[in-house]
């Protein structure tokens, strides 16, 4: 086994308890190597990648590279690396390598652009995708590259997401003359993104959808459809829930380890300043609705993508506490485990989410089964 460590050495302390033997070169008898039991011993750690170790996946290599934390290579047993977790070891961080960036589809939109800025400010690499491949940030960033992709065309998405550590789908209808109507962007586009991510082994896809999409009798659903149709096309809410279902179906059909999705359903989008995590209301069941600043949507979307397994195969609604009300008065009050609010961070809002499968099993009465109505055409009729 080969070990390559790249970067600058730093020191940190690790609690270890190991007595082992290190193989000597040229077949000589191994000498004993003792590491003090239950002692905090300063150990040299390199900021770098552990290469050719099949037991560690790409995402773990990435976090080691950026944080200089995670695994302390110390001893080999018959050619195998023994490593010890650092006390500050973090979950694998997506986007920590320029070779494996986070891809944002719909980067020209307001939420997509905010996601790029947030990721770049964290020092995470991202690839901003628009139909023309245009620049969307006012200032250049070493962490941001640009590319062209059309969500209505699967072949362009395969190339766009290849090698990505994660994908954010922030695209939405912009009108037939610009980029596509709801049927082709919010429905077919979401499905294409899922298929491309599954085929290219992208660890996670985060889809920005909309709240009240399963409540066609609600004011939020009907008002959104009414006002959007004059600019972007008919039945955008119906196509958004159809897109969600297409994503879920694609992942269920693939049943592929190592890939997952999360779906974010924001309420009415506003351009106001952030209300902060403490005033964000996150819930499951599509019961509540209010406005939510786009910047808070972007913050939660990025947090959901980076959260790890806690958001795998989940769907949740995102609103601000002010003005919060039920989408329909007939909907039941939610159990406390389905409501997440008053948290100190966006990341903490995502703790304890139920998967879509768990929601169907535990709360079947909340699952309306609505998939967009009779006007939703089969995907095959939209594919080009």
């Amino acid at each position: 086994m080969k070990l390559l460590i790249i970067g600058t050495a730093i020191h940190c302390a690790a609690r270890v308890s190991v007595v082992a033997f290190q193989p000597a070169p040229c077949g000589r008898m191994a000498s004993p190597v003792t590491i003090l039991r239950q002692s905090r011993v300063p150990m040299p750690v390199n900021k770098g990648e552990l290469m050719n170790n099949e037991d560690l996946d790409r995402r773990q290599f990435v976090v080691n590279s950026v944080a200089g934390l995670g695994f302390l290579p110390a001893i080999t047993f018959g050619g195998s690396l023994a490593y010890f977790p650092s006390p500050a070891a973090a979950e694998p961080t997506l986007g920590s390598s320029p070779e494996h960036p986070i891809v944002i589809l719909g980067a020209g939109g307001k939420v997509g652009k905010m996601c790029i800025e947030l990721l770049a400010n964290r020092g995470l690499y991202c690839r901003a995708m628009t139909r023309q491949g245009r620049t969307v940030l006012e200032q250049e960033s070493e962490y941001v590259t640009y590319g062209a992709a059309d969500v209505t065309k699967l072949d362009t998405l395969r190339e766009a997401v290849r090698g990505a550590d994660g994908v954010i789908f922030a695209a939405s209808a912009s009108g037939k003359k610009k980029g596509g109507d709801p049927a082709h962007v919010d429905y077919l586009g979401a499905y294409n993104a899922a298929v491309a991510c599954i085929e290219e082994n992208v660890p996670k896809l985060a889809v920005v959808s909309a709240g009240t999409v399963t409540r066609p009798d609600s004011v939020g659903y009907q008002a959104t459809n009414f006002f959007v149709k004059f600019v972007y096309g008919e039945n955008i809410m119906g196509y958004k829930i159809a897109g969600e279902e297409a994503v879920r179906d694609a992942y269920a059909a693939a049943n592929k380890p190592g890939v997952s999705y999360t779906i974010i359903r924001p309420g009415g989008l506003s351009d106001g300043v952030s209300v902060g995590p403490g005033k964000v209301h996150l819930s499951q069941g599509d019961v509540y609705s209010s406005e939510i600043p786009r910047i808070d949507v972007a913050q939660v979307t990025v947090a959901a993508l980076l959260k790890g397994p806690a958001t795998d195969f989940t769907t949740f609604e995102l609103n601000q506490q002010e003005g919060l009300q039920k989408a329909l008065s007939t909907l039941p009050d939610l159990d406390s485990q389905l409501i997440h609010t008053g948290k100190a961070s966006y990341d903490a809002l995502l703790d304890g989410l139920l998967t879509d499968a768990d929601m169907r099993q535990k709360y079947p009465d909340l699952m309306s089964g609505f998939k967009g109505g009779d006007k939703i055409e089969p995907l095959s009729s939209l594919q080009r």
Side-chain angles (χ1 to χ4, degrees), residues 113-308:
K113 180 180 177 182
M114 290 175 179
C115 288
I116 297 166
E117 292 171 336
L118 291 171
L119 290 165
N121 287 340
R122 290 186 180 209
L124 300 180
Y125 293 91
C126 53
R127 186 186 304 145
M129 309 302 295
T130 60
R131 286 183 300 112
Q132 298 87 9
R134 63 185 176 89
T135 300
V136 299
L137 298 184
E138 287 74 18
Q139 296 182 341
E140 290 186 4
S141 170
E142 63 178 302
Y143 298 104
V144 181
T145 57
Y146 297 95
D150 186 340
V151 299
T152 69
K153 299 176 181 178
L154 180 56
D155 287 344
T156 71
L157 287 190
R158 290 191 180 102
E159 179 66 25
V161 307
R162 187 164 297 144
D165 256 352
V167 170
I168 293 174
F169 182 89
S172 191
S174 57
K176 290 183 178 180
K177 293 183 179 180
K178 292 184 178 181
D181 58 16
H184 287 88
V185 178
D186 298 86
Y187 178 28
L188 176 63
Y191 170 76
N192 284 344
V195 171
C197 286
I198 292 167
E199 291 181 354
E200 298 299 330
N201 298 310
V202 176
K204 182 169 285 186
L205 167 66
V207 176
V208 181
S209 182
T212 71
V213 285
T214 68
R215 311 298 178 189
D217 295 331
S218 69
V219 173
Y221 185 105
Q222 295 178 1
T224 302
N225 270 352
F226 177 78
F227 289 109
V228 167
K229 72 177 181 179
F230 297 107
V231 182
Y232 302 133
E234 296 278 351
N235 196 25
I236 189 169
M237 294 294 275
Y239 285 117
K240 280 188 178 293
I241 184 59
E244 285 188 17
E245 289 299 316
V247 169
R248 295 186 189 96
D249 290 346
Y251 278 88
N255 192 26
K256 191 174 188 179
V259 297
S260 66
Y261 67 82
T262 183
I263 297 174
I264 300 96
R265 293 171 169 172
L269 298 174
S270 73
D271 291 322
V273 298
S274 170
V275 299
K279 295 184 178 180
V280 168
H281 184 279
L282 189 151
S283 60
Q284 294 183 275
D286 206 15
V287 169
Y288 294 104
S289 179
S290 70
E291 285 192 344
I292 181 77
R294 286 181 171 87
I295 182 58
D296 291 300
V297 175
Q299 289 274 19
V300 173
T301 299
V302 168
L305 184 73
L306 301 179
K307 182 70 171 176

